[in-house]
Amino acid sequence: QVQLVESGGGLVQAGGSLRLSCAASGLTFGYYTMGWFRQAPGLERDFVAAISVSGGNTYYADSVKGRFTISRDNAKNTVYLQMNSLKSEDTAIYYCAAGISCSPGGCRPSIGVRWGQGTQVTVSS
């Protein structure tokens, strides 16, 4: 079955960095636009970043542009999220997603999107 396993979350001070990884199995990784969403307590799950199947196109939420970088390694079936200059408002559970639709208007989960179990990121101020 499809599995997306996130790792790399943790506690970091404001201004610090973390690198999230998402290892995928049970799917043809190179067919999927991959990405990350996050959900803070009491709020909806929001788009963070996405990357096209080849890695040639990347998409970011305005709140993370210039601070976060998404990348993928199709040989390792893994997608990464490098997070720099972290702020307290970045605190959330971060979810990896396989199957994202992106357009000039933004990115959203596709029908049949697959989710990881989430990894907690906590930024202390």
Side-chain angles (χ1 to χ4, degrees), residues 3-60:
Q3 281 193 310
L4 302 176
V5 180
E6 300 103 333
S7 60
L11 174 64
V12 64
Q13 288 188 331
S17 299
L18 283 174
R19 188 194 196 205
L20 305 184
S21 299
C22 172
S25 60
L27 54 77
T28 306
F29 185 77
Y31 286 1
Y32 287 83
T33 294
M34 299 293 298
W36 295 89
F37 288 71
R38 66 187 181 187
Q39 188 167 18
L43 299 178
E44 294 184 349
R45 190 172 297 189
D46 289 332
F47 169 73
V48 176
I51 186 166
S52 62
V53 295
S54 67
N57 292 300
T58 56
Y59 310 84
Y60 297 95

Side-chain angles (χ1 to χ4, degrees), residues 33 37 47 50 97 99-111 113 115:
T33 294
F37 288 71
F47 169 73
I100 300 172
S101 297
C102 292
S103 68
C107 297
R108 65 186 187 282
S110 300
I111 296 173
V113 62
W115 296 102

Side-chain angles (χ1 to χ4, degrees), residues 84-109:
N84 298 329
S85 302
L86 283 161
K87 306 175 181 179
S88 57
E89 51 263 45
D90 294 318
T91 294
I93 299 174
Y94 283 70
Y95 295 92
C96 177
I100 300 172
S101 297
C102 292
S103 68
C107 297
R108 65 186 187 282

